Amino acid sequence: MAERASQPVLRLGFIGLGQAMNLILQRPWEIADLPFRFVAGADPRTSARERFEQDFDGRSYATAEELCDSGEVDVVYIATGPELHREHALLAAGSGKHMVVEKPLALTLDECAEMAAAAERHGVLLLAGHTHSFGAPYRRMAEIVHGGELGELVMVNSWMYNEFNVRPWPTAELVSTRGPLLNQGPHQVDIARQIGGGVARSVRAQTFWDPLRGCPGGYSALLQFEGGATASLVLDARGYFDVAELYDWIGEGGQPRDPDRSVTMHQNFQAVAALGPEARERRFQEQKELGRYGAEGASAEQWALWGYSFGQEHHQPFFGLTIASCERGAVRQSADGLYIYDQHQRREVTLGAEPPGRAAELMELYEGVVNGRPLRHDGRWATGTVEVCLAIEESARSGQEVPLTRQPAWAR
Amino acid sequence: MAERASQPVLRLGFIGLGQAMNLILQRPWEIADLPFRFVAGADPRTSARERFEQDFDGRSYATAEELCDSGEVDVVYIATGPELHREHALLAAGSGKHMVVEKPLALTLDECAEMAAAAERHGVLLLAGHTHSFGAPYRRMAEIVHGGELGELVMVNSWMYNEFNVRPWPTAELVSTRGPLLNQGPHQVDIARQIGGGVARSVRAQTFWDPLRGCPGGYSALLQFEGGATASLVLDARGYFDVAELYDWIGEGGQPRDPDRSVTMHQNFQAVAALGPEARERRFQEQKELGRYGAEGASAEQWALWGYSFGQEHHQPFFGLTIASCERGAVRQSADGLYIYDQHQRREVTLGAEPPGRAAELMELYEGVVNGRPLRHDGRWATGTVEVCLAIEESARSGQEVPLTRQPAWAR
């Protein structure tokens, strides 16, 4: 976070100092040297506020209102629960703050539309953040596809098999996003829309139930894009098959992945579930609290219950096997970049020098705020992604193909 | 092909001594010790007939009629082009011969229905053969899913990326099956239906064009099964990404796979295509002829142009990544068997002792003929598979979900 003489530094305030804040700080290389300064944090938890003041010599507030009222913040990062995104986004917009909102933008299309409209009305920028579409491999895949060297896209296919549902989520929290549908779905849909040009015309999908968690466990969806390309998206978050097995045991963050991770997490889940309905929820809350910023007792073992591991060794981020097929070739991720296939060769492009996803996200907003560059991942974009996720649910319910109407094009 | 005192031996006659016959003979371990004797072969090519008489001390005929008229044959194996399947199946049925018909059963549903009806009317058995659904991994996957140890199926997903279209097919032959749709599609659809219980209710799909070959290059399809499970099937036969890359470079037959295979085949294709329209077709015919039974000059290099390699080293057959997800676990192929995943463990089941696909196919017919056991892969079954393949094409054309009505259940 060095300040450079040649460019202004934006003052960032966090609304919600929870697990997301900890995850950001676990990967300091992702935000090193960005023209942002962490100046403020709002959270009802005293421990988080004290920790923020220690770590950043910043101001802390018990409420989002107080943070937004302060004149010291240019941009807020909204990392509260999705049911609070609308409230906090309207607050930020009303206070003239630009904002990053974590995925999902919101849980309903009405909320999404209200948030996007509020930002526009107040002349602030809303960046829909925190999906893997910002990651270097996915950005570059989209660039290669849109660049046309392989011809037009014909299909993009993604398989994500992970253990999202087995993490010790308090049940109500998991159910509120319909399990992975509105939490993991936005990653996959954002990646596919970014590669596919943004404008999905319809979705036909089926979901399936996770009896362990009492919510959906995943889906299989077929999207039709404007122009005729398709996306086949499969998500299974129940912790049986782990897609990292097809990817040299590299995990979501690019770190080495323990092949027994899902089994270990199931063991934790079963041990907690055996406590009975009420004690189980208390224990889930405790396990969640341990991962929050400022909590005492966070450890590698605790993070492992959430499927996370950290360390210096890391490859590119990986949110499932994703293959884009074009008229004259194809592209998919390698451990440290991309494989590009055509009739002449398979070649690898490494991406080590590209900004990581978190930096790309913050810099997209920065370029918008400082240099007036239009955002790509704005509120309308994210509304389109939430529309697809909700249409997956709707198609499963109705047994029909669901037309889509809120799909802005990806700005090439 | 040893005869055993305890069981009758069926006398097998081949209609069509072409590439398929050669492929059978390249893998002798698949048919060793079966209670069949190769007694007759019919082919218009003199070289094939002479070779058959040498290899098997059998009778050969220039026409299918002569072979069917002979009293020396119990079962015919129809390995002619798909446009001839109907004619040869009706001939066999009229002569009271049981039969194996290679995939696709036929190119239209009317032909399929006529063939199935003729077999029933004449009291002979029609086995729809030669799809990977007979392979040990796919048989066992279906058994595990149907056995219920992992709960009900929720989805089965398959990705096949190969180089089918880059093989030196004479153009008319490739176009007649709409590229891979009716040639490779039956493998994938048969596998999915066998695991999914057989009864697909509808298909929503998109196809894409292969400009190199002037026919479809593949598809992405979402099938809805009776009971709510889905199959997401992706096929890309254009020789860019090769799915063996995700499977330790093991090829379709279970043999080691050259990572440069698709590129080499594209080089051959481009060299031949450069000859111009007419010379190109002659050269494709020559390259096809070299792979036919009885031809002179077949070599490892020639087979490699078709994507094939042979040798003693082999694993289980592999027709794309296929993952079956159930209520309480999942199953997919390992190199030599299956991985089974549940909340307690990932374990591997090896299948080395299981009969290979070709043996399973012939023994399914044998059990039907000799012991009266009902066929699973009968004419009605294969009609259902052709219906799905044609519905993929229809859904792509209409942009609509296509209901399916000819889907018999898999006999558990």
Side-chain angles (χ1 to χ4, degrees), chain A residues 252-288:
Chain A
E252 184 177 344
Q255 78 292 352
R257 171 91 174 159
D258 176 0
D260 289 325
R261 174 59 50 232
S262 297
V263 167
T264 308
M265 290 168 66
H266 269 295
Q267 287 167 348
N268 177 66
F269 180 86
Q270 292 298 339
V272 176
L275 299 174
E278 288 181 27
R280 149 186 158 152
E281 295 305 324
R282 281 197 301 275
R283 186 77 190 108
F284 284 148
Q285 290 286 1
E286 289 164 12
Q287 293 190 341
K288 173 126 204 215

mmCIF file of all heavy atoms in Angstrom, chain A residues 252-288:
data_model
loop_
_atom_site.group_PDB
_atom_site.id
_atom_site.type_symbol
_atom_site.label_atom_id
_atom_site.label_comp_id
_atom_site.label_asym_id
_atom_site.label_seq_id
_atom_site.Cartn_x
_atom_site.Cartn_y
_atom_site.Cartn_z
ATOM 1 N N GLU A 252 -8.658 -23.649 -4.624
ATOM 2 C CA GLU A 252 -9.323 -22.465 -5.162
ATOM 3 C C GLU A 252 -8.414 -21.236 -5.157
ATOM 4 O O GLU A 252 -8.435 -20.438 -6.080
ATOM 5 C CB GLU A 252 -10.602 -22.199 -4.351
ATOM 6 C CG GLU A 252 -11.427 -21.046 -4.875
ATOM 7 C CD GLU A 252 -12.729 -20.853 -4.098
ATOM 8 O OE1 GLU A 252 -13.140 -21.772 -3.363
ATOM 9 O OE2 GLU A 252 -13.327 -19.778 -4.230
ATOM 10 N N GLY A 253 -7.638 -21.085 -4.089
ATOM 11 C CA GLY A 253 -6.771 -19.915 -4.010
ATOM 12 C C GLY A 253 -5.452 -20.089 -4.735
ATOM 13 O O GLY A 253 -4.605 -19.208 -4.697
ATOM 14 N N GLY A 254 -5.257 -21.239 -5.371
ATOM 15 C CA GLY A 254 -3.996 -21.510 -6.043
ATOM 16 C C GLY A 254 -2.984 -22.224 -5.164
ATOM 17 O O GLY A 254 -1.879 -22.532 -5.595
ATOM 18 N N GLN A 255 -3.374 -22.511 -3.925
ATOM 19 C CA GLN A 255 -2.455 -23.158 -2.993
ATOM 20 C C GLN A 255 -2.560 -24.680 -3.107
ATOM 21 O O GLN A 255 -3.540 -25.191 -3.639
ATOM 22 C CB GLN A 255 -2.761 -22.715 -1.561
ATOM 23 C CG GLN A 255 -3.967 -23.380 -0.912
ATOM 24 C CD GLN A 255 -5.305 -22.987 -1.521
ATOM 25 O OE1 GLN A 255 -5.382 -22.090 -2.356
ATOM 26 N NE2 GLN A 255 -6.364 -23.676 -1.124
ATOM 27 N N PRO A 256 -1.555 -25.411 -2.603
ATOM 28 C CA PRO A 256 -1.676 -26.872 -2.601
ATOM 29 C C PRO A 256 -2.918 -27.300 -1.822
ATOM 30 O O PRO A 256 -3.267 -26.691 -0.805
ATOM 31 C CB PRO A 256 -0.398 -27.331 -1.886
ATOM 32 C CG PRO A 256 0.563 -26.207 -2.061
ATOM 33 C CD PRO A 256 -0.261 -24.951 -2.069
ATOM 34 N N ARG A 257 -3.552 -28.335 -2.319
ATOM 35 C CA ARG A 257 -4.833 -28.781 -1.768
ATOM 36 C C ARG A 257 -4.665 -30.183 -1.204
ATOM 37 O O ARG A 257 -4.154 -31.075 -1.888
ATOM 38 C CB ARG A 257 -5.846 -28.803 -2.918
ATOM 39 C CG ARG A 257 -7.176 -29.430 -2.608
ATOM 40 C CD ARG A 257 -8.129 -28.408 -2.113
ATOM 41 N NE ARG A 257 -9.463 -28.969 -1.949
ATOM 42 C CZ ARG A 257 -10.382 -28.423 -1.169
ATOM 43 N NH1 ARG A 257 -10.113 -27.309 -0.505
ATOM 44 N NH2 ARG A 257 -11.556 -28.967 -1.060
ATOM 45 N N ASP A 258 -5.115 -30.374 0.023
ATOM 46 C CA ASP A 258 -5.048 -31.690 0.653
ATOM 47 C C ASP A 258 -6.116 -32.593 0.035
ATOM 48 O O ASP A 258 -7.300 -32.267 0.090
ATOM 49 C CB ASP A 258 -5.290 -31.515 2.157
ATOM 50 C CG ASP A 258 -5.348 -32.841 2.901
ATOM 51 O OD1 ASP A 258 -5.209 -33.904 2.262
ATOM 52 O OD2 ASP A 258 -5.543 -32.800 4.129
ATOM 53 N N PRO A 259 -5.714 -33.729 -0.540
ATOM 54 C CA PRO A 259 -6.713 -34.621 -1.154
ATOM 55 C C PRO A 259 -7.773 -35.117 -0.173
ATOM 56 O O PRO A 259 -8.851 -35.517 -0.594
ATOM 57 C CB PRO A 259 -5.864 -35.783 -1.686
ATOM 58 C CG PRO A 259 -4.513 -35.190 -1.917
ATOM 59 C CD PRO A 259 -4.335 -34.173 -0.825
ATOM 60 N N ASP A 260 -7.471 -35.086 1.115
ATOM 61 C CA ASP A 260 -8.461 -35.529 2.104
ATOM 62 C C ASP A 260 -9.266 -34.372 2.688
ATOM 63 O O ASP A 260 -9.984 -34.551 3.676
ATOM 64 C CB ASP A 260 -7.764 -36.283 3.243
ATOM 65 C CG ASP A 260 -7.251 -37.629 2.776
ATOM 66 O OD1 ASP A 260 -7.920 -38.256 1.922
ATOM 67 O OD2 ASP A 260 -6.181 -38.048 3.243
ATOM 68 N N ARG A 261 -9.150 -33.196 2.105
ATOM 69 C CA ARG A 261 -9.802 -32.019 2.685
ATOM 70 C C ARG A 261 -11.307 -32.231 2.872
ATOM 71 O O ARG A 261 -11.859 -31.979 3.941
ATOM 72 C CB ARG A 261 -9.537 -30.795 1.785
ATOM 73 C CG ARG A 261 -10.268 -29.516 2.161
ATOM 74 C CD ARG A 261 -9.952 -29.016 3.566
ATOM 75 N NE ARG A 261 -8.542 -28.944 3.813
ATOM 76 C CZ ARG A 261 -7.939 -29.497 4.870
ATOM 77 N NH1 ARG A 261 -8.647 -30.147 5.783
ATOM 78 N NH2 ARG A 261 -6.639 -29.398 5.028
ATOM 79 N N SER A 262 -11.994 -32.711 1.840
ATOM 80 C CA SER A 262 -13.449 -32.858 1.938
ATOM 81 C C SER A 262 -13.831 -33.866 3.012
ATOM 82 O O SER A 262 -14.795 -33.657 3.757
ATOM 83 C CB SER A 262 -14.032 -33.294 0.591
ATOM 84 O OG SER A 262 -13.803 -32.319 -0.387
ATOM 85 N N VAL A 263 -13.079 -34.956 3.089
ATOM 86 C CA VAL A 263 -13.383 -35.976 4.093
ATOM 87 C C VAL A 263 -13.196 -35.401 5.498
ATOM 88 O O VAL A 263 -14.036 -35.600 6.392
ATOM 89 C CB VAL A 263 -12.499 -37.225 3.872
ATOM 90 C CG1 VAL A 263 -12.573 -38.159 5.065
ATOM 91 C CG2 VAL A 263 -12.933 -37.952 2.595
ATOM 92 N N THR A 264 -12.115 -34.669 5.699
ATOM 93 C CA THR A 264 -11.877 -34.052 7.010
ATOM 94 C C THR A 264 -13.007 -33.096 7.370
ATOM 95 O O THR A 264 -13.474 -33.056 8.513
ATOM 96 C CB THR A 264 -10.540 -33.283 6.985
ATOM 97 O OG1 THR A 264 -9.523 -34.158 6.504
ATOM 98 C CG2 THR A 264 -10.180 -32.783 8.361
ATOM 99 N N MET A 265 -13.462 -32.350 6.385
ATOM 100 C CA MET A 265 -14.547 -31.399 6.650
ATOM 101 C C MET A 265 -15.855 -32.130 6.949
ATOM 102 O O MET A 265 -16.631 -31.699 7.804
ATOM 103 C CB MET A 265 -14.689 -30.441 5.467
ATOM 104 C CG MET A 265 -13.497 -29.479 5.374
ATOM 105 S SD MET A 265 -13.433 -28.561 3.814
ATOM 106 C CE MET A 265 -14.923 -27.564 3.963
ATOM 107 N N HIS A 266 -16.089 -33.231 6.249
ATOM 108 C CA HIS A 266 -17.281 -34.033 6.567
ATOM 109 C C HIS A 266 -17.196 -34.572 8.000
ATOM 110 O O HIS A 266 -18.210 -34.641 8.702
ATOM 111 C CB HIS A 266 -17.427 -35.195 5.582
ATOM 112 C CG HIS A 266 -18.263 -34.885 4.381
ATOM 113 N ND1 HIS A 266 -19.608 -34.601 4.467
ATOM 114 C CD2 HIS A 266 -17.952 -34.807 3.064
ATOM 115 C CE1 HIS A 266 -20.092 -34.375 3.249
ATOM 116 N NE2 HIS A 266 -19.104 -34.483 2.384
ATOM 117 N N GLN A 267 -16.001 -34.955 8.423
ATOM 118 C CA GLN A 267 -15.853 -35.456 9.796
ATOM 119 C C GLN A 267 -16.221 -34.370 10.799
ATOM 120 O O GLN A 267 -16.928 -34.612 11.777
ATOM 121 C CB GLN A 267 -14.416 -35.942 10.024
ATOM 122 C CG GLN A 267 -14.125 -37.263 9.312
ATOM 123 C CD GLN A 267 -12.639 -37.603 9.270
ATOM 124 O OE1 GLN A 267 -11.789 -36.765 9.575
ATOM 125 N NE2 GLN A 267 -12.331 -38.833 8.882
ATOM 126 N N ASN A 268 -15.734 -33.157 10.550
ATOM 127 C CA ASN A 268 -16.102 -32.049 11.435
ATOM 128 C C ASN A 268 -17.607 -31.829 11.414
ATOM 129 O O ASN A 268 -18.247 -31.682 12.461
ATOM 130 C CB ASN A 268 -15.390 -30.768 11.001
ATOM 131 C CG ASN A 268 -15.808 -29.570 11.857
ATOM 132 O OD1 ASN A 268 -15.520 -29.526 13.057
ATOM 133 N ND2 ASN A 268 -16.509 -28.607 11.249
ATOM 134 N N PHE A 269 -18.165 -31.840 10.200
ATOM 135 C CA PHE A 269 -19.603 -31.587 10.099
ATOM 136 C C PHE A 269 -20.395 -32.632 10.877
ATOM 137 O O PHE A 269 -21.327 -32.305 11.623
ATOM 138 C CB PHE A 269 -20.047 -31.574 8.632
ATOM 139 C CG PHE A 269 -21.512 -31.309 8.485
ATOM 140 C CD1 PHE A 269 -21.986 -30.007 8.452
ATOM 141 C CD2 PHE A 269 -22.427 -32.349 8.448
ATOM 142 C CE1 PHE A 269 -23.345 -29.746 8.370
ATOM 143 C CE2 PHE A 269 -23.789 -32.101 8.364
ATOM 144 C CZ PHE A 269 -24.243 -30.799 8.320
ATOM 145 N N GLN A 270 -20.018 -33.890 10.720
ATOM 146 C CA GLN A 270 -20.759 -34.953 11.399
ATOM 147 C C GLN A 270 -20.618 -34.840 12.915
ATOM 148 O O GLN A 270 -21.584 -35.056 13.659
ATOM 149 C CB GLN A 270 -20.282 -36.325 10.920
ATOM 150 C CG GLN A 270 -20.639 -36.635 9.469
ATOM 151 C CD GLN A 270 -22.140 -36.666 9.213
ATOM 152 O OE1 GLN A 270 -22.942 -36.840 10.127
ATOM 153 N NE2 GLN A 270 -22.529 -36.468 7.953
ATOM 154 N N ALA A 271 -19.418 -34.501 13.364
ATOM 155 C CA ALA A 271 -19.210 -34.364 14.809
ATOM 156 C C ALA A 271 -20.073 -33.234 15.360
ATOM 157 O O ALA A 271 -20.674 -33.357 16.438
ATOM 158 C CB ALA A 271 -17.729 -34.099 15.097
ATOM 159 N N VAL A 272 -20.161 -32.143 14.617
ATOM 160 C CA VAL A 272 -20.969 -31.012 15.085
ATOM 161 C C VAL A 272 -22.456 -31.346 14.982
ATOM 162 O O VAL A 272 -23.238 -31.060 15.898
ATOM 163 C CB VAL A 272 -20.621 -29.738 14.289
ATOM 164 C CG1 VAL A 272 -21.523 -28.586 14.714
ATOM 165 C CG2 VAL A 272 -19.156 -29.369 14.494
ATOM 166 N N ALA A 273 -22.836 -31.981 13.874
ATOM 167 C CA ALA A 273 -24.255 -32.306 13.681
ATOM 168 C C ALA A 273 -24.755 -33.227 14.792
ATOM 169 O O ALA A 273 -25.919 -33.149 15.202
ATOM 170 C CB ALA A 273 -24.469 -32.952 12.310
ATOM 171 N N ALA A 274 -23.850 -34.077 15.301
ATOM 172 C CA ALA A 274 -24.250 -35.032 16.340
ATOM 173 C C ALA A 274 -24.599 -34.344 17.653
ATOM 174 O O ALA A 274 -25.185 -34.959 18.550
ATOM 175 C CB ALA A 274 -23.124 -36.049 16.561
ATOM 176 N N LEU A 275 -24.266 -33.066 17.783
ATOM 177 C CA LEU A 275 -24.557 -32.341 19.023
ATOM 178 C C LEU A 275 -26.043 -32.055 19.183
ATOM 179 O O LEU A 275 -26.484 -31.677 20.273
ATOM 180 C CB LEU A 275 -23.792 -31.010 19.047
ATOM 181 C CG LEU A 275 -22.262 -31.098 18.991
ATOM 182 C CD1 LEU A 275 -21.658 -29.710 18.868
ATOM 183 C CD2 LEU A 275 -21.722 -31.817 20.228
ATOM 184 N N GLY A 276 -26.802 -32.193 18.098
ATOM 185 C CA GLY A 276 -28.222 -31.851 18.163
ATOM 186 C C GLY A 276 -28.462 -30.471 17.588
ATOM 187 O O GLY A 276 -27.526 -29.672 17.442
ATOM 188 N N PRO A 277 -29.722 -30.163 17.265
ATOM 189 C CA PRO A 277 -30.039 -28.961 16.477
ATOM 190 C C PRO A 277 -29.530 -27.655 17.079
ATOM 191 O O PRO A 277 -28.960 -26.829 16.378
ATOM 192 C CB PRO A 277 -31.573 -28.975 16.412
ATOM 193 C CG PRO A 277 -31.967 -30.380 16.701
ATOM 194 C CD PRO A 277 -30.897 -30.971 17.557
ATOM 195 N N GLU A 278 -29.722 -27.455 18.364
ATOM 196 C CA GLU A 278 -29.356 -26.147 18.920
ATOM 197 C C GLU A 278 -27.865 -26.020 19.163
ATOM 198 O O GLU A 278 -27.238 -25.026 18.782
ATOM 199 C CB GLU A 278 -30.126 -25.896 20.217
ATOM 200 C CG GLU A 278 -31.596 -25.607 19.960
ATOM 201 C CD GLU A 278 -32.353 -25.342 21.247
ATOM 202 O OE1 GLU A 278 -31.733 -24.876 22.223
ATOM 203 O OE2 GLU A 278 -33.570 -25.617 21.268
ATOM 204 N N ALA A 279 -27.288 -27.040 19.794
ATOM 205 C CA ALA A 279 -25.852 -26.990 20.083
ATOM 206 C C ALA A 279 -25.054 -26.953 18.783
ATOM 207 O O ALA A 279 -23.992 -26.330 18.707
ATOM 208 C CB ALA A 279 -25.439 -28.201 20.918
ATOM 209 N N ARG A 280 -25.588 -27.612 17.784
ATOM 210 C CA ARG A 280 -24.919 -27.614 16.487
ATOM 211 C C ARG A 280 -24.814 -26.200 15.927
ATOM 212 O O ARG A 280 -23.755 -25.787 15.459
ATOM 213 C CB ARG A 280 -25.718 -28.534 15.554
ATOM 214 C CG ARG A 280 -25.705 -28.197 14.104
ATOM 215 C CD ARG A 280 -26.673 -29.118 13.359
ATOM 216 N NE ARG A 280 -27.077 -28.523 12.097
ATOM 217 C CZ ARG A 280 -27.445 -29.220 11.027
ATOM 218 N NH1 ARG A 280 -27.484 -30.533 11.063
ATOM 219 N NH2 ARG A 280 -27.800 -28.618 9.923
ATOM 220 N N GLU A 281 -25.885 -25.443 16.016
ATOM 221 C CA GLU A 281 -25.841 -24.079 15.475
ATOM 222 C C GLU A 281 -24.892 -23.204 16.279
ATOM 223 O O GLU A 281 -24.190 -22.360 15.721
ATOM 224 C CB GLU A 281 -27.249 -23.475 15.429
ATOM 225 C CG GLU A 281 -28.206 -24.189 14.471
ATOM 226 C CD GLU A 281 -27.681 -24.297 13.037
ATOM 227 O OE1 GLU A 281 -27.015 -23.360 12.562
ATOM 228 O OE2 GLU A 281 -27.919 -25.346 12.395
ATOM 229 N N ARG A 282 -24.882 -23.415 17.596
ATOM 230 C CA ARG A 282 -23.930 -22.648 18.410
ATOM 231 C C ARG A 282 -22.494 -22.968 18.004
ATOM 232 O O ARG A 282 -21.656 -22.083 17.880
ATOM 233 C CB ARG A 282 -24.136 -22.962 19.900
ATOM 234 C CG ARG A 282 -25.309 -22.234 20.536
ATOM 235 C CD ARG A 282 -25.220 -22.254 22.067
ATOM 236 N NE ARG A 282 -25.190 -23.608 22.609
ATOM 237 C CZ ARG A 282 -26.283 -24.339 22.860
ATOM 238 N NH1 ARG A 282 -27.489 -23.840 22.625
ATOM 239 N NH2 ARG A 282 -26.174 -25.550 23.361
ATOM 240 N N ARG A 283 -22.238 -24.251 17.779
ATOM 241 C CA ARG A 283 -20.874 -24.648 17.420
ATOM 242 C C ARG A 283 -20.494 -24.097 16.043
ATOM 243 O O ARG A 283 -19.359 -23.659 15.833
ATOM 244 C CB ARG A 283 -20.774 -26.176 17.433
ATOM 245 C CG ARG A 283 -19.373 -26.709 17.208
ATOM 246 C CD ARG A 283 -18.500 -26.575 18.464
ATOM 247 N NE ARG A 283 -17.099 -26.864 18.152
ATOM 248 C CZ ARG A 283 -16.142 -25.940 18.092
ATOM 249 N NH1 ARG A 283 -16.397 -24.682 18.372
ATOM 250 N NH2 ARG A 283 -14.910 -26.284 17.785
ATOM 251 N N PHE A 284 -21.444 -24.119 15.103
ATOM 252 C CA PHE A 284 -21.163 -23.523 13.785
ATOM 253 C C PHE A 284 -20.839 -22.034 13.943
ATOM 254 O O PHE A 284 -19.925 -21.511 13.310
ATOM 255 C CB PHE A 284 -22.359 -23.695 12.841
ATOM 256 C CG PHE A 284 -22.515 -25.089 12.281
ATOM 257 C CD1 PHE A 284 -23.779 -25.595 12.000
ATOM 258 C CD2 PHE A 284 -21.410 -25.887 12.009
ATOM 259 C CE1 PHE A 284 -23.934 -26.869 11.469
ATOM 260 C CE2 PHE A 284 -21.559 -27.167 11.481
ATOM 261 C CZ PHE A 284 -22.831 -27.658 11.210
ATOM 262 N N GLN A 285 -21.611 -21.360 14.798
ATOM 263 C CA GLN A 285 -21.335 -19.937 15.021
ATOM 264 C C GLN A 285 -19.931 -19.746 15.592
ATOM 265 O O GLN A 285 -19.210 -18.824 15.192
ATOM 266 C CB GLN A 285 -22.375 -19.339 15.985
ATOM 267 C CG GLN A 285 -23.775 -19.195 15.405
ATOM 268 C CD GLN A 285 -23.905 -18.052 14.399
ATOM 269 O OE1 GLN A 285 -22.938 -17.349 14.107
ATOM 270 N NE2 GLN A 285 -25.101 -17.894 13.840
ATOM 271 N N GLU A 286 -19.550 -20.627 16.505
ATOM 272 C CA GLU A 286 -18.205 -20.521 17.080
ATOM 273 C C GLU A 286 -17.136 -20.745 16.012
ATOM 274 O O GLU A 286 -16.132 -20.035 15.958
ATOM 275 C CB GLU A 286 -18.025 -21.557 18.199
ATOM 276 C CG GLU A 286 -18.809 -21.251 19.467
ATOM 277 C CD GLU A 286 -18.927 -22.472 20.380
ATOM 278 O OE1 GLU A 286 -18.218 -23.483 20.133
ATOM 279 O OE2 GLU A 286 -19.732 -22.400 21.330
ATOM 280 N N GLN A 287 -17.367 -21.749 15.167
ATOM 281 C CA GLN A 287 -16.366 -22.036 14.133
ATOM 282 C C GLN A 287 -16.305 -20.908 13.111
ATOM 283 O O GLN A 287 -15.248 -20.612 12.565
ATOM 284 C CB GLN A 287 -16.660 -23.393 13.468
ATOM 285 C CG GLN A 287 -16.457 -24.557 14.451
ATOM 286 C CD GLN A 287 -16.491 -25.930 13.807
ATOM 287 O OE1 GLN A 287 -17.004 -26.105 12.704
ATOM 288 N NE2 GLN A 287 -15.943 -26.919 14.505
ATOM 289 N N LYS A 288 -17.447 -20.285 12.879
ATOM 290 C CA LYS A 288 -17.431 -19.137 11.975
ATOM 291 C C LYS A 288 -16.705 -17.961 12.627
ATOM 292 O O LYS A 288 -15.886 -17.285 12.000
ATOM 293 C CB LYS A 288 -18.857 -18.740 11.593
ATOM 294 C CG LYS A 288 -18.922 -17.445 10.793
ATOM 295 C CD LYS A 288 -19.656 -17.543 9.493
ATOM 296 C CE LYS A 288 -19.175 -16.461 8.541
ATOM 297 N NZ LYS A 288 -20.204 -15.934 7.688
#
